[in-house]
């Protein structure tokens, strides 16, 4: 991590709103940020990397993160690791009789399954002495 920060944060939902603002603030504070969202983010910084991924596709999320982040997380210079589960699907607001089961599954994937999967991934990839 010689040319970058020794602190790494994975932030979901960085393409807009709160996720984008959190990523920008972490960068301002000297963190290296790895963003994940369906769309690319308008963040221009050498401390920012991005993975375009749909959190509804929980089954493939760990593999994509392994491919993109393994080198960064295994770097002995890394001292702190953070996860900001920001992405959310506010869908399904409205009458219950209009809720489609497939939409409900997508909502649970983004709002429940993906955050839990990401937390587990981080715990599995952390090493002794790495502050979470």
């Amino acid at each position: 991590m010689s040319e970058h920060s020794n602190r790494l944060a994975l932030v979901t939902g960085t393409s807009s709103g709160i996720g984008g603002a959190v990523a920008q603030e972490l960068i301002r504070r000297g963190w290296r940020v790895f963003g994940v969202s369906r769309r690319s983010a308008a963040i221009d910084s050498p401390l920012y990397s991005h993975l375009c991924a749909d959190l509804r596709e929980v089954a493939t999320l760990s593999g994509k993160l392994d491919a993109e982040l393994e080198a960064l997380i295994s770097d002995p210079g890394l001292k702190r690791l953070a996860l900001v589960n920001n992405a959310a699907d506010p869908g399904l607001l409205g009458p219950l009789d209009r809720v489609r089961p497939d939409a409900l599954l997508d909502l649970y994937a983004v709002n429940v399954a993906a955050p839990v999967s990401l937390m587990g991934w981080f715990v599995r990839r952390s090493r002794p002495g790495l502050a979470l």
Side-chain angles (χ1 to χ4, degrees), residues 1-128:
M1 296 233 129
S2 57
E3 66 185 80
H4 296 293
S5 172
N6 64 358
R7 298 172 292 169
L8 173 65
L10 186 141
V11 181
T12 64
T14 55
S15 63
S16 64
I18 294 170
V22 167
Q24 292 281 19
E25 180 61 20
L26 286 167
I27 290 166
R28 188 187 71 73
R29 294 179 182 207
W31 284 71
R32 179 167 173 82
V33 175
F34 191 87
V36 178
S37 62
R38 287 179 293 163
R39 297 179 308 276
S40 60
I43 299 172
D44 184 22
S45 171
L47 292 176
Y48 184 77
S49 301
H50 190 83
L51 171 66
C52 283
D54 190 335
L55 296 181
R56 291 177 294 186
E57 299 169 2
V58 179
T60 61
L61 192 55
S62 288
K64 289 177 180 179
L65 291 174
D66 283 341
E68 297 291 328
L69 282 172
E70 193 63 37
L72 291 174
I73 288 180
S74 63
D75 187 321
L78 183 64
K79 302 297 181 204
R80 174 135 340 200
L81 185 60
L83 171 63
V84 180
N85 271 318
N86 165 73
D89 183 349
L92 302 182
L93 299 175
L96 186 60
D97 62 341
R98 294 188 186 156
V99 173
R100 294 184 351 260
D102 60 325
L104 185 60
L105 291 173
D106 286 346
L107 182 122
Y108 283 148
V110 173
N111 295 347
V112 179
V116 170
S117 176
L118 287 169
M119 288 184 280
W121 187 87
F122 260 68
V123 170
R124 287 189 304 275
R125 298 309 184 275
S126 66
R127 64 179 190 279

